[in-house]
Amino acid sequence: MIAYQDLSPLELKAELSELQARYTAFKERGLKLNMARGKPSPSQLDQAAGLLVALPTDQRPLDSNGEDTRNYGIIRGIPEACSLMAGLLGVPFANVLVGNNSSLTLMYDTVARGMLFGLRGATPMTQQGKLRFLCPTPGYDRHFAVTEAFGFENIPIPMLDDGPDMDLVQNAVTDPTVKGIWCVPKYSNPQGITYSDTVVRRLAALKPAAPDFRIYWDNAYSVHDLYPDSVYTASLLDLKTACDEAGNPDIWYMFASTSKISYAGGGISALASSEANLAEIEAHLSIQTIGPDKVNQLRHVRWLEAIGGGEGLALQGIHQHMRMLAGMLAPKFEMVDEVLNRELAGLGVANWVKPLGGYFILLDTLPGLAKQVVAMAKDAGVVLTDAGATWPGGKDPNDSNIRIAPSYPAIEELEMACELLAICIRLAAVEQLLAG
Ligand SMILES: Cc1ncc(COP(=O)(O)O)c(C=O)c1O
């Protein structure tokens, strides 16, 4: 295909009327599709049906220490769930606690504790004046919303192909008002980028001016390979070891959950950190709650052990389950890529990279068009993530990022939704070029 920039005004006008006809035809179909949020599809959730019946009703649900999971207590979570989540995060057992249904809650509470009580003897952040937080961008809107809600100034840090621009990060942390950085280190939301070993080592070796600066390492997609057991998987250097080696043992918090393994919002979550940081968190947690939902923890372990092939094999169960889910998700990502290639390749109007894992595809339109494209798609019945959502404050200075979430729609719907998206991108681009 010829790039739109090389077409004459007459050719552009012909293209415009053809695209308008296709767009109108789509509108008349009365579609109602949603590619806005990275939700598992109902069929994916169906694959975890065993979770609902994982605990026998004729036995007490006891943990490996013989504690009754139906009762109060065990603030760090039951041992078998801690082992599982330690394995998922790649940290020792002593460094992890298992929480309830949401890692985002653990992140929010971690920021809140820093605000209200201060971290490890530092002055509470509420008493430190105007503070800043580093936001690798494009990034996850809900991360940015947390620090924005607590009054931080979110500082965008450009994402490069192998993680955040570390020269900028290193420079930014010399400012003592900078208190943290959000990271989705593997199959990042929304680009699907995995941080290189060099980036992980440079993060681990940061020398922040603020003693209460922390790396918020949200490893939400650690086992979400689209092509497991192949060369098309990414591997991530272990942050804890890197921090220990760099003499920064307390600089990290890690988070994960089974939201995109079992049930979204109905899974189990985990927070890992140095033993000293964890002890501090536990002291606060034990005021906040008498213990997490251990019944859900136990049934997750039992369900995953059954998949993994026996007692103690829950982590293998996760890998097994994720292989199966990859078989459902990969064709959807491929469909998006195929339709975008068919409709957009060579036209010079959009860029995207097909990721090897995670939940999203990031597409860049020509500058100034993303909002218009999202609005046009909505008018024709396809809801996309709001343009700008991948930037702090919802403000994409180039107005070009569009986040595509392929997991939820059925594949036939996805094909239609992507075709419409591509038509909107082309229409907006032709209009922009004709307007000069
Ligand atoms: C990077 C990232 N972290 C966290 C979450 C939410 O996790 P949870 O359901 O455990 O709160 C999401 C959901 O999309 C995500 O993309």
Side-chain angles (χ1 to χ4, degrees), residues 19-103:
L19 289 166
Q20 277 166 340
R22 286 179 75 190
Y23 180 70
T24 308
F26 255 104
K27 251 182 144 170
E28 283 163 1
R29 284 158 85 170
L31 298 179
K32 267 198 172 42
L33 303 177
N34 195 314
M35 289 202 296
R37 298 232 66 102
K39 294 202 291 190
S41 67
S43 322
Q44 270 176 264
L45 298 172
D46 290 344
Q47 305 304 316
L51 181 57
L52 296 176
V53 291
L55 296 178
T57 50
D58 57 350
Q59 286 167 30
R60 289 188 172 144
L62 308 182
D63 75 4
S64 54
N65 286 333
E67 298 286 340
D68 193 329
T69 57
R70 298 167 302 179
N71 226 323
Y72 277 143
I74 322 184
I75 201 84
R76 284 201 186 196
I78 59 172
E80 47 272 71
C82 289
S83 296
L84 171 65
M85 297 309 271
L88 188 68
L89 283 168
V91 298
F93 182 90
N95 292 101
V96 77
L97 67 78
V98 178
N100 290 320
N101 68 322
S102 162
S103 60

Side-chain angles (χ1 to χ4, degrees), residues 173-395:
V173 302
T174 58
D175 173 353
T177 69
V178 171
K179 297 299 181 185
I181 180 167
W182 289 116
C183 296
V184 183
K186 189 166 171 191
Y187 302 138
S188 63
N189 175 352
Q191 315 88 327
I193 287 173
T194 299
Y195 292 12
S196 68
D197 294 0
T198 309
V199 165
V200 177
R201 287 207 180 86
R202 287 181 73 181
L203 277 164
L206 283 175
K207 295 279 167 258
D212 47 359
F213 174 93
R214 296 286 183 273
I215 299 166
Y216 293 70
W217 196 250
D218 178 4
N219 208 352
Y221 298 109
S222 66
V223 288
H224 299 65
D225 309 301
L226 289 171
Y227 306 101
D229 311 312
S230 78
V231 289
Y232 302 108
T233 56
S235 66
L236 178 68
L237 196 75
D238 168 27
L239 179 72
K240 177 195 182 303
T241 306
C243 290
D244 288 345
E245 285 170 3
N248 256 341
D250 296 318
I251 200 173
W252 58 281
Y253 294 123
M254 283 184 200
F255 306 90
S257 79
T258 65
S259 276
K260 285 163 186 172
I261 297 172
S262 57
Y263 292 152
I268 58 175
S269 61
L271 190 171
S273 196
S274 69
E275 290 184 41
N277 284 348
L278 216 56
E280 176 181 67
I281 291 167
E282 185 176 350
H284 287 296
L285 254 190
S286 57
I287 307 288
Q288 197 180 5
T289 176
I290 317 175
D293 175 356
K294 299 175 298 299
V295 175
N296 198 29
Q297 294 182 4
L298 186 66
R299 68 183 183 141
H300 269 80
V301 173
R302 292 283 177 270
W303 167 62
L304 290 164
E305 282 178 339
I307 298 173
E311 201 181 325
L313 296 177
L315 188 58
Q316 285 84 336
I318 287 191
H319 290 297
Q320 191 61 25
H321 189 68
M322 293 312 286
R323 271 183 210 115
M324 192 264 304
L325 291 185
M328 304 176 83
L329 282 166
K332 294 188 174 180
F333 279 75
E334 281 156 19
M335 174 61 79
V336 173
D337 191 53
E338 194 186 306
V339 176
L340 295 180
N341 262 313
R342 191 170 70 216
E343 290 286 338
L344 299 174
L347 295 181
V349 295
N351 290 309
W352 69 95
V353 174
K354 182 169 155 277
L356 299 179
Y359 256 61
F360 302 98
I361 294 172
L362 184 71
L363 180 141
D364 269 316
T365 66
L366 292 176
L369 295 186
K371 273 199 166 65
Q372 186 188 340
V373 166
V374 170
M376 286 165 75
K378 191 172 175 197
D379 267 359
V382 172
V383 178
L384 294 156
T385 311
D386 283 342
T390 51
W391 281 74
K395 292 188 195 86

